[in-house]
Amino acid sequence: MAAELLNQEERKMDFTFYMPARVISGPGAVLENGGQIKKLGDRALLVTGAHSAQESGVLQDYEKVLKEQGISYEIFDQISANPLYTACRDAARQAIGMGADMIIGLGGGSPLDAAKAVAAIAANPDITPDELLQKSWKKKPLPVVVTGTTSGTGSEVSSTSVLTWEDGRKRAISHPDLYASLVLADPRYTFTMSWKVTVSTALDALSHAVEGFLSPRCTQIPQWCAQQAIPMIWKGLKELSRSKTVPQDLRDPLFYGSLWAGMVLNGVGTAFPHPFGYILTEDYSIPHGRACAAFLPALLERAGEYAPERVEELEQLLGCSQEEAVPLLHQLSDTHHIRMTQEKIEGYARRWENLHNFDNVPGGYSVQQGKQLFSRMFDIKV
């Protein structure tokens, strides 16, 4: 018993954390820090989607700064939601062709995640998809600069890149070499987000914070980051649930809340809502944040059984009980219409063998429990 108590105290005082990304934040972060970009080289490939970088104004600001600094650049704007490995490969070929010294990712989580993969492929032109997944590169990825235009991904401050591979499945690559060299974070670039995107990205950020906060592996630094993130994001989601517009005064707290949550993600990782959510995105076209949040009520239920003291603290951060929070999560995730056959669920379950995310669940988790959860939520016979 004494040893068990000692281990609990050691965990409470555990400062283990690693995040070697230089973050400069606030209005004008891009326009005022061209010199920081210049330190990384003279040629840049800008990796973006088709719309958000242009509509938010971040692309125009980068073009202005790069010209002022004498940095030549090209643009690859074919990154879609749930970025494809094939698109990253094509962008890397463009980077190699222009002799890029750095990759700049602009947009939501998809372009930021893609930029990291592009940097790895461009530095290792002969790398195969399997080698990329296994992080078996010989040369370090090119330096990466990122600026987000959404309030959810956390990709700015994490070493993870989530791609959709040629078999249609989403898989994550995490490696210390994938941290951005420079993060220029300005919440003003999120002001053009629609209500729908704002809600989904906020749900993603909430999932990062809550999944990490409830994890048995959560050490003191990510715990503190979650304590900053959760009230900011939850307050915003409550307001968004009452309106189909986004009050301007929500933009800053949602943006910075997502960065705090990204640091939780970076320090702890995710529990089962994220890999389970990938399935809803891949096969049912549910946006990533909504897909992950659909499984938060089940995680809260599990934590209530195995980590009740942590759930009590979470309720204090939310400012409401678990029973009050769950209906709002159901409302905003909006996945009640999805139905699956048992055969389909069995097929998904084969993907969950040795899933490391289960280690982040209070009391642990199993493939069988995952199947039972999917049956309860989505079985076509229910």
Side-chain angles (χ1 to χ4, degrees):
M1 177 64 72
E4 182 181 341
L5 290 174
L6 178 60
N7 289 336
Q8 289 175 358
E9 289 303 314
E10 287 174 345
R11 283 196 293 272
K12 288 180 183 177
M13 300 304 294
D14 190 341
F15 273 70
T16 302
F17 198 70
Y18 182 70
M19 199 204 83
R22 177 174 172 79
V23 180
I24 301 174
S25 72
V30 173
L31 294 174
E32 297 171 7
N33 287 283
Q36 297 294 333
I37 304 173
K38 180 67 173 178
K39 292 177 182 178
L40 300 176
D42 297 315
R43 294 176 297 278
L45 178 70
L46 278 64
V47 175
T48 78
H51 304 293
S52 68
Q54 187 94 26
E55 292 170 356
S56 67
V58 69
L59 178 60
Q60 295 90 323
D61 284 354
Y62 264 92
E63 289 186 291
K64 181 176 186 293
V65 166
L66 295 179
K67 289 173 183 176
E68 290 173 350
Q69 295 293 327
I71 300 172
S72 62
Y73 65 90
E74 294 182 10
I75 299 171
F76 183 91
D77 62 0
Q78 299 171 46
I79 301 300
S80 60
N82 308 302
L84 302 174
Y85 160 77
T86 51
C88 296
R89 180 198 61 201
D90 293 344
R93 289 172 179 167
Q94 183 173 338
I96 293 166
M98 66 169 291
D101 300 313
M102 72 185 90
I103 307 298
I104 299 177
L106 306 177
S110 295
L112 305 195
D113 280 11
K116 299 172 189 178
V118 172
I121 300 169
N124 299 272
D126 298 324
I127 196 169
T128 67
D130 284 343
E131 288 171 338
L132 184 62
L133 262 173
Q134 295 162 11
K135 297 155 282 192
S136 299
W137 44 74
K138 296 177 181 177
K139 295 182 179 179
K140 287 193 67 171
L142 298 180
V144 174
V145 180
V146 297
T147 296
T149 61
T150 65
S151 301
T153 168
S155 186
E156 296 98 325
V157 293
S158 81
S159 61
T160 299
S161 172
V162 180
L163 305 180
T164 299
W165 299 80
E166 292 175 287
D167 61 0
R169 285 179 54 184
K170 294 180 70 170
R171 297 183 183 88
I173 312 165
S174 295
H175 192 278
D177 288 347
L178 295 181
Y179 281 106
S181 299
L182 180 63
V183 180
L184 299 177
D186 186 338
R188 293 181 304 169
Y189 298 128
T190 70
F191 285 15
T192 54
M193 272 197 304
S194 68
W195 178 89
K196 185 179 292 187
V197 173
T198 301
V199 168
S200 185
T201 55
L203 287 170
D204 189 18
L206 182 73
S207 298
H208 293 155
V210 171
E211 289 174 60
F213 183 72
L214 295 177
S215 168
R217 302 193 300 189
C218 186
T219 56
Q220 199 164 2
I221 298 299
Q223 177 183 339
W224 187 82
C225 293
Q227 290 166 343
Q228 314 313 305
I230 291 168
M232 298 169 76
I233 300 166
W234 186 249
K235 179 181 177 183
L237 283 168
K238 286 196 297 183
E239 290 195 39
L240 290 169
S241 72
R242 296 190 287 263
S243 172
K244 291 297 182 181
T245 60
V246 185
Q248 286 298 88
D249 62 358
L250 286 186
R251 296 296 191 181
D252 279 24
L254 285 176
F255 179 75
Y256 288 112
S258 77
L259 294 183
W260 283 119
M263 292 175 70
V264 181
L265 167 68
N266 177 66
V268 186
T270 58
F272 63 70
H274 263 71
F276 288 179
Y278 290 167
I279 290 168
L280 301 190
T281 298
E282 293 165 5
D283 289 357
Y284 302 91
S285 301
I286 303 297
H288 173 68
R290 285 173 48 202
C292 295
F295 297 98
L296 285 182
L299 180 62
L300 290 173
E301 181 182 346
R302 181 76 176 179
E305 183 177 357
Y306 289 94
E309 72 293 336
R310 187 50 66 92
V311 173
E312 288 179 12
E313 186 177 352
L314 176 62
E315 289 176 331
Q316 292 174 3
L317 295 171
L318 295 173
C320 67
S321 69
Q322 177 181 339
E323 290 74 19
E324 293 172 300
V326 166
L328 183 60
L329 290 171
H330 285 317
Q331 173 193 338
L332 293 176
S333 59
D334 189 25
T335 57
H336 61 278
H337 59 286
I338 295 175
R339 292 291 179 266
M340 304 174 187
T341 63
Q342 278 299 320
E343 181 181 11
K344 196 88 167 175
I345 293 170
E346 289 289 340
Y348 293 141
R350 287 192 283 273
R351 297 168 47 169
W352 304 334
E353 295 291 342
N354 303 313
L355 193 65
H356 66 85
N357 306 73
F358 288 172
D359 296 333
N360 268 341
V361 179
Y365 211 67
S366 69
V367 173
Q368 183 60 30
Q369 288 166 327
K371 289 196 293 185
Q372 292 170 351
L373 175 60
F374 267 64
S375 295
R376 192 174 80 198
M377 292 178 64
F378 307 120
D379 189 342
I380 200 168
K381 296 175 184 176
V382 173

